[in-house]
Amino acid sequence: MRYEFILPDFTPRSANEYTFAKVGQRIRRKAGDRDLVAHYARQSGIPRATGKRRVSLVVTLAKGGRAVDPDNAWKGILDGLKQAETIVNDSYLWVELGAYTINRGERRETLVVLEDL
């Protein structure tokens, strides 16, 4: 099965936004991103994961928006999906990283696509 949901007005953070922030800021940013992803994943009605899933991202940047490197995009997304139980775990045993696509558009958003394997 294939499932998808949109994170409105959200694009993944750069690793630098986590790494070089003060401890309190870093914790709040990670928790905020994780909670946002979990909220929209639950709201979309995706069933609880029981097996391995592929996760793909389509990031739409608004005018002047800057894309993060693909290796930076996954952490907050996967943590939120795990919290929402739409993936079993974020280890390679349970998740396959799919495509990471960047588009330009009128407003920023991130489309998350989950596929049962």
Side-chain angles (χ1 to χ4, degrees), residues 81-92:
L81 294 174
K82 182 180 173 194
Q83 181 174 312
E85 298 182 337
T86 54
I87 59 173
V88 174
N89 197 318
D90 58 359
S91 79
Y92 73 94

Side-chain angles (χ1 to χ4, degrees), residues 49-96:
T50 57
K52 190 171 186 174
R53 284 186 169 161
R54 177 182 301 119
V55 180
S56 301
L57 302 176
V58 180
V59 177
T60 302
L61 302 171
K63 185 176 180 177
R66 195 167 166 218
V68 300
D69 292 337
D71 60 331
N72 292 335
W74 297 101
K75 184 63 179 156
I77 301 288
L78 294 177
D79 287 348
L81 294 174
K82 182 180 173 194
Q83 181 174 312
E85 298 182 337
T86 54
I87 59 173
V88 174
N89 197 318
D90 58 359
S91 79
Y92 73 94
L93 297 172
W94 297 103
V95 171
E96 178 181 299

Side-chain angles (χ1 to χ4, degrees), residues 2-116:
R2 177 185 164 105
Y3 311 97
E4 55 185 57
F5 65 94
I6 291 177
L7 299 166
D9 198 31
F10 176 86
T11 53
R13 292 183 191 268
S14 160
N16 290 340
E17 291 184 65
Y18 293 132
T19 306
F20 297 112
K22 293 181 180 179
V23 174
Q25 279 183 321
R26 182 172 45 229
I27 291 168
R28 282 189 298 279
R29 287 176 183 171
K30 281 184 176 183
D33 290 354
R34 181 194 64 227
D35 293 347
L36 179 79
V37 172
H39 169 77
Y40 281 100
R42 284 186 195 111
Q43 189 178 38
S44 68
I46 297 172
R48 184 175 182 213
T50 57
K52 190 171 186 174
R53 284 186 169 161
R54 177 182 301 119
V55 180
S56 301
L57 302 176
V58 180
V59 177
T60 302
L61 302 171
K63 185 176 180 177
R66 195 167 166 218
V68 300
D69 292 337
D71 60 331
N72 292 335
W74 297 101
K75 184 63 179 156
I77 301 288
L78 294 177
D79 287 348
L81 294 174
K82 182 180 173 194
Q83 181 174 312
E85 298 182 337
T86 54
I87 59 173
V88 174
N89 197 318
D90 58 359
S91 79
Y92 73 94
L93 297 172
W94 297 103
V95 171
E96 178 181 299
L97 300 181
Y100 175 74
T101 308
I102 303 288
N103 295 324
R104 294 277 176 188
E106 292 295 314
R107 60 190 178 124
R108 69 185 188 134
E109 66 182 22
T110 299
L111 172 68
V112 180
V113 180
L114 301 166
E115 298 170 276
D116 290 329

